[in-house]
Amino acid sequence: MKSELLATFRATFLRSPEFIARAPGRIEFIGNHTDYNGGTVLGAAIDRGVWVGLARREDQQRRFSSGQRRDIVATSAGAPQRRSGAESWVNYPLGVIAALGEFGLRAPAGFDYLAVSNLPTGAGLSSSAAIELASALTFVASMGESPPRETLVKVARHAENHFVGVPCGILDQGVSGFGRRDHLVFIDCRGPSFDLVPLPAGAHFWIFNTHTKHALVDGLYAERHRECMEAAAALGVAQLVEVSPAMLAAAEGKLRPSLAKRARHVVEEIARVSACVAALRTENLTDAGRLLVASHRSSQRLFENSTAELDFLVDALVIVPSVYGARLTGGGFGGAVMALTSPEFGDAEARQIAAAYTQAFGTAPDILHAKTGDGAALQ
Ligand code: ADP
Ligand code: MG
């Protein structure tokens, strides 16, 4: 990707970039809708991502281009203004510039900027966090700054929450920022604090992206968020992370049935994340896989953020002997399923799953055999 970035940068701006950064996409491994409840989550950075090149300009022009859209979007220095339509992708780097200001950091007044990527966008692999982090790294480096990784993660999330306007938790940016090859990132969202957990040898990730999206996905996400807050308030806590499974069992009667289901999912999912860390630390992929399936069943039955398409894929995957476990990954209501497999699971098995899915739903899922990769860094 670096040579592609250099060639496209030269072709677009007739000069070379001074600073280059790469940030990876990520998989949500386990911990579904736990982040905004103050819980824990495990994710993996993958070996695909976004590369950003930047060269400072003498004037006050900020010129943006992307391998995905060849035209140049020019803005002047000063407070970033939101863009719309075909230019709306620029809101990600512009949002980072705005967010840097909130953290006492700055971007150069003028620059040429290019992003290229080998990460599918809108596929639940968080290309948005990748472009934010790669942008943030080049901006601060070109100002001679090297803030802690944690600050850059917070800047990137702030950009997405407040400038782009997506109320994501810390998972996406945290994993893209702190990922490491052959490791998972464990995030305690209350700090937030970030830890690495080694991924046992022989563990493989396969992603099946259905490209389906519930028409009401944003509204449904907000509704689940609201239900969790309402359940926490009814249980007398600030966040559901403060409720243990035993406490919930004793107090569940205070909640109306739908809220009790949402709370049970979150409380048990947080316990599953801990159990999964323990399983991985003892290299027990069978137990880890069982927890992934339990997570999916909980999303399906209690949190009710799965769909017929996602359930079909999980059901088809879990009966394959080389699959340890499978679950929906990301916010749900459509999107992708992730499978944890042994090396025996290969293209032939993946194609078989895809063929069965195509027969049932009339469209083929995209398949990605994702390897773990390193977190965001200057190149
Ligand atoms: P996801 O994060 O799951 O990929 P999002 O909708 O959150 O999906 O973010 C995707 C958006 O991020 C794209 O529509 C685009 O605006 C922006 N984006 C990501 N990567 C690039 C890139 N390489 N060039 C330009 N825009 C990008
Ligand atoms: Mg995103």
Side-chain angles (χ1 to χ4, degrees):
M1 283 312 288
K2 188 169 183 175
S3 54
E4 187 184 325
L5 176 81
L6 289 170
T8 311
F9 198 100
R10 286 185 194 123
T12 309
F13 298 114
L14 310 176
R15 57 200 294 231
S16 296
E18 297 175 289
F19 302 92
I20 297 176
R22 170 199 169 272
R26 65 96 189 95
I27 302 168
E28 176 194 287
F29 187 73
I30 191 167
N32 197 240
H33 287 258
T34 53
D35 53 3
Y36 56 80
N37 288 297
T40 49
V41 59
L42 271 175
I46 62 173
D47 64 346
R48 287 167 174 252
V50 177
W51 292 69
V52 168
L54 186 103
R56 287 166 294 180
R57 293 173 61 89
E58 294 295 324
D59 61 16
Q60 307 260 306
Q61 261 202 63
R62 291 170 169 166
R63 303 201 303 164
F64 296 91
S65 186
S66 156
Q68 293 171 0
R69 306 187 165 272
R70 281 303 160 86
D71 45 328
I72 294 177
V73 181
T75 72
S76 51
Q81 305 294 317
R82 280 181 58 85
R83 297 288 172 137
S84 56
E87 296 183 349
S88 57
W89 73 269
V90 180
N91 289 331
Y92 292 88
L94 285 178
V96 170
I97 295 174
L100 284 171
E102 302 287 323
F103 288 79
L105 294 162
R106 283 180 310 139
F111 56 74
D112 292 331
Y113 168 109
L114 173 73
V116 300
S117 169
N118 59 4
L119 188 62
T121 55
L125 296 171
S126 206
S127 68
S128 58
I131 191 172
E132 288 153 8
L133 276 156
S135 302
L137 275 167
T138 58
F139 292 147
V140 296
S142 63
M143 298 300 290
E145 304 265 12
S146 49
R149 189 168 291 264
E150 203 166 326
T151 305
L152 292 176
V153 164
K154 287 179 182 165
V155 163
R157 182 186 175 194
H158 194 277
E160 182 132 2
N161 288 170
H162 300 284
F163 198 90
V164 178
V166 177
C168 61
I170 194 71
L171 168 72
D172 299 356
Q173 292 82 10
V175 175
S176 182
F178 282 90
R180 191 184 299 169
R181 205 178 142 192
D182 297 328
H183 288 74
L184 294 167
V185 182
F186 172 81
I187 305 178
D188 184 334
C189 302
R190 266 191 291 189
S193 65
F194 307 90
D195 254 315
L196 287 169
V197 180
L199 185 66
H204 286 250
F205 296 124
W206 289 79
I207 310 286
F208 296 81
N209 183 11
T210 66
H211 292 288
T212 57
K213 190 173 170 176
H214 199 292
L216 302 172
V217 61
D218 293 337
L220 287 165
Y221 194 99
E223 181 182 300
R224 291 295 178 276
H225 187 278
R226 218 171 27 246
E227 288 170 334
C228 290
M229 300 307 138
E230 209 184 309
L235 294 168
V237 294
Q239 289 185 299
L240 285 175
V241 67
E242 294 164 49
V243 181
S244 68
M247 269 167 77
L248 183 64
E252 219 163 15
K254 289 188 201 163
L255 302 174
R256 63 170 190 274
S258 61
L259 288 196
K261 284 202 280 188
R262 309 300 183 244
R264 176 163 292 282
H265 166 79
V266 171
V267 169
E268 292 179 351
E269 184 77 349
I270 292 170
R272 273 189 291 272
V273 174
S274 303
C276 201
V277 170
L280 292 167
R281 291 219 185 267
T282 54
E283 304 197 358
N284 190 335
L285 289 170
T286 306
D287 277 1
R290 266 194 219 113
L291 290 157
L292 299 187
V293 180
S295 164
H296 183 80
R297 296 304 175 211
S298 177
S299 294
Q300 185 180 352
R301 294 168 191 152
L302 298 176
F303 212 68
E304 297 180 282
N305 63 331
S306 187
T307 60
E309 289 88 349
L310 300 175
D311 295 341
F312 181 95
L313 284 170
V314 170
D315 292 343
L317 281 160
V318 295
I319 55 176
V320 179
S322 50
V323 172
Y324 292 115
R327 60 181 288 273
L328 70 83
T329 176
F333 307 113
V337 160
M338 178 214 73
L340 176 69
T341 78
S342 73
E344 281 76 53
F345 190 93
D347 287 325
E349 286 75 12
R351 273 199 301 270
Q352 227 164 38
I353 301 280
Y357 180 91
T358 307
Q359 201 163 34
F361 295 101
T363 57
D366 276 348
I367 304 169
L368 181 68
H369 182 190
K371 298 187 179 56
T372 57
D374 286 329
L378 287 168
Q379 301 294 312

